[in-house]
Structure formats: C-alpha cells, structure tokens
Amino acid sequence: MELAGDSRSNAMTVDVEDYFQVSAFESVITPQDWDAISPRVGQNTHRILDLFAEHGVKSTFFTLGWVAKRCPDIIKRIVEEGHELASHGLDHRRATTMSKNDLRDDISQSKDILEDIGGTRVIGYRAPSFSINSSNEWVYDVLKELDFIYSSSTYPIAHDLYGVPDWPRFKYARPEGIIEIPIPTIRKKDRNQGIGGGGYFRLYPYSLSKKRIDNYLASENEPYSFYFHPWEIDASQPKVKGAPLKSRIRHYINLSRMEGKLVRLLKDFKWDTMRDTYGIIQS
Ligand SMILES: [Zn+2]
C-alpha cells in the first residue's frame, strides 16, 4: 500500500560548515584558530553533491559566509546543479550571543558573499544551532530588513543547547513578515520529539528513522525536512581533543555509517529544496 505522503516532496537541507566550527567544540576551538586548520568542508560537500546528482535530489545548502569565501567552487557547483543557496550566517556565531547590530553585520556580510559568488539571490536563512528564541525575536526584523523571505531557525523541542518547545511546529508567517519553517517534530506523551536529522539519525538504526518519518508523513499534512552537515559523512576527520565528553559523543557517534544511511534516505523519499517544497514565492 502506498502512503499518501509518498508522492509529496520533502526538503533536503545541508548546513555547510566544517567539523571545527560546530558549537559543540567552541570551548576548545575559536574562530581565530580556524585559518590554521586544514579545511575538509570542500571535499565533503563535493561528495554530497555527487550523491545528490546520482540520486536526482535537489537540496538547500545553508552555507557559512566563511566557507563560501574559502571554497567558492562548491558555491558555484551548488548553483550550477540547480540547488538552492541559502545563508547559515558568517562564522557560526549563534544569534543569541550577538547584539542586533552585530547580527545585522554578520547576516548581511554572509548574504553579500554568497550572492556575489553564486550570482543568485539568497532568500533563506538558518541561524547557527537554531539560535532564535523568545529572547531575540528581533532577528526576524533583521531578516526582513535584509530582504530574506524565509527562515528555518527554530526547533520546537526541549533540548539542553537550543529549542523553543512552545513555538509552532509547522510553517507559519511571522508578524515581522518572514516565513518561519521549524525543524520537524513528532508528538509523544504530550511532548515534541525532534526528527529533523542530526545526531538522532546517526544514533538510530535506519529502519527506525524511516519509520518515524513515515509516521510523521502519515499523520501530518505537512512536508518533512531533513538536515545534516558535511562533516557527518567524514569518518576520517581529525579528532578534536579537550571538548566535553557529551559533545564528543554527539559529534562522533556512527560517522562511518552516515553515508550508507543517507543514501537509503535519498532513495526512500522524494527530495527537493526548501524553496520549492514549501512553495516559497519570491517577490
Ligand atoms: Zn551549523
């Protein structure tokens, strides 16, 4: 039997950042250290683009301005191969750690870099580590000012590092004039559980992740969206020493199985960009 959801497209998204730029390692590696580390994000993103081409998948790449400057070839390839180029900010500072002026600078620089290299308009933004909550809703004013149309920056779950468990679970229009598309969740025992990707996808057997997505599509009249990072398919990345144990476990769990699981995911569902999956109309 075919489920009603099988023919709908879902959004595939990649947060384009390197392994040493993740919030989990910020206590041991600062942005001042980054230029001295040999980047792996370029080769990993090329590998992802190869996999997407092989399986006929279109995706949205939420990309750091920092990465775009150093690896312009991946930006050009993202655009040339029909994917959507979007912003993940400049250098992965969380929106909750910046003043409004600093954040405006950060996002506007990243947008300019991406648009210059890609030769295309950038309308989507994802805050690093889903860092929009009730303390900084003015981020949406900044996005509107900078001519963005949508954001996918909120995760309506309770989590130790981020999350807005009481916020909407599905795409909605913000009063500031921006469309917010939250990371998908399922309801369990009166709580939201995250099913958007990341560590859970690497932790669980693929069959369980697939079942959870199937359940979501069968019960919700909404597309599903998935996110992952280029470093997640890179099992031979150098190990970062000195980071907290919990961060290391979350970062390194099952990296070697990720590519195989990802390929199954690409084959089992229909994937497209955020823009086209959610019918974002460019004005
Ligand atoms: Zn990120």
Side-chain angles (χ1 to χ4, degrees):
M1 192 186 81
E2 200 181 46
L3 290 171
D6 287 357
S7 59
R8 285 181 289 177
S9 101
N10 303 288
M12 176 55 65
T13 74
V14 186
D15 293 355
V16 184
E17 65 203 38
D18 219 326
Y19 72 95
F20 49 83
Q21 298 176 311
V22 299
S23 301
F25 294 153
E26 69 191 4
S27 63
V28 283
I29 306 178
T30 67
Q32 288 74 43
D33 303 322
W34 293 354
D35 274 321
I37 307 175
S38 155
R40 299 175 72 87
V41 64
Q43 69 200 57
N44 292 333
T45 306
H46 277 300
R47 176 72 192 139
I48 291 166
L49 284 159
D50 291 346
L51 292 172
F52 287 173
E54 197 179 316
H55 297 282
V57 164
K58 294 285 182 267
S59 167
T60 294
F61 288 79
F62 292 101
T63 307
L64 289 182
W66 189 97
V67 169
K69 257 199 205 164
R70 284 151 185 90
C71 310
D73 53 319
I74 58 174
I75 304 306
K76 295 201 171 100
R77 195 172 159 201
I78 287 167
V79 175
E80 273 165 23
E81 297 188 4
H83 301 287
E84 180 187 9
L85 183 63
S87 169
H88 194 36
L90 184 64
D91 57 8
H92 217 264
R93 265 185 298 163
R94 277 166 290 151
T96 39
T97 64
M98 282 186 269
S99 69
K100 193 170 179 179
N101 279 339
D102 286 351
L103 184 83
R104 187 185 295 109
D105 267 6
D106 177 287
I107 301 177
S108 129
Q109 280 189 58
S110 89
K111 189 174 198 276
D112 288 349
I113 294 167
L114 293 169
E115 289 183 342
D116 280 355
I117 300 172
T120 184
R121 183 177 163 202
V122 165
I123 60 165
Y125 171 72
R126 173 167 289 157
S129 300
F130 311 115
S131 53
I132 298 183
N133 58 37
S134 50
S135 76
N136 65 350
E137 289 181 75
W138 45 257
V139 176
Y140 293 109
D141 291 319
V142 172
L143 293 175
K144 183 72 190 166
E145 251 179 69
L146 296 175
D147 217 19
F148 283 86
I149 297 178
Y150 79 91
S151 151
S152 177
S153 303
T154 56
Y155 209 161
I157 54 168
H159 185 280
D160 56 345
L161 303 176
Y162 48 73
V164 280
D166 305 331
W167 283 30
R169 290 175 58 217
F170 304 113
K171 173 185 153 186
Y172 69 109
R174 294 279 318 177
E176 300 85 356
I178 291 289
I179 295 163
E180 172 62 36
I181 304 167
I183 305 299
T185 52
I186 44 173
R187 294 285 294 166
K188 234 176 189 166
K189 292 180 188 154
D190 293 329
R191 292 178 57 159
N192 297 340
Q193 265 189 15
I195 56 161
Y200 295 110
F201 186 77
R202 278 182 287 127
L203 180 66
Y204 295 154
Y206 176 74
S207 55
L208 177 58
S209 294
K210 179 177 186 298
K211 202 169 139 196
R212 283 155 53 93
I213 300 170
D214 282 336
N215 286 345
Y216 172 93
L217 290 173
S219 60
E220 311 291 357
N221 190 28
E222 294 284 334
Y224 171 76
S225 73
F226 183 80
Y227 77 89
F228 72 105
H229 308 86
W231 54 262
E232 288 186 90
I233 60 158
D234 182 8
S236 44
Q237 65 190 268
K239 294 277 185 291
V240 174
K241 295 191 180 78
L245 180 64
K246 195 170 174 184
S247 304
R248 279 183 285 139
I249 291 172
R250 278 179 177 164
H251 188 93
Y252 294 119
I253 192 143
N254 289 345
L255 288 177
S256 61
R257 300 212 181 118
M258 180 65 180
E259 187 172 314
K261 287 180 180 178
L262 181 66
V263 166
R264 294 180 71 181
L265 188 72
L266 298 181
K267 286 183 183 165
D268 283 342
F269 298 91
K270 194 172 170 231
W271 301 103
D272 208 330
T273 60
M274 288 292 272
R275 184 186 55 207
D276 291 345
T277 298
Y278 290 94
I280 306 290
I281 294 162
Q282 299 201 34
S283 46

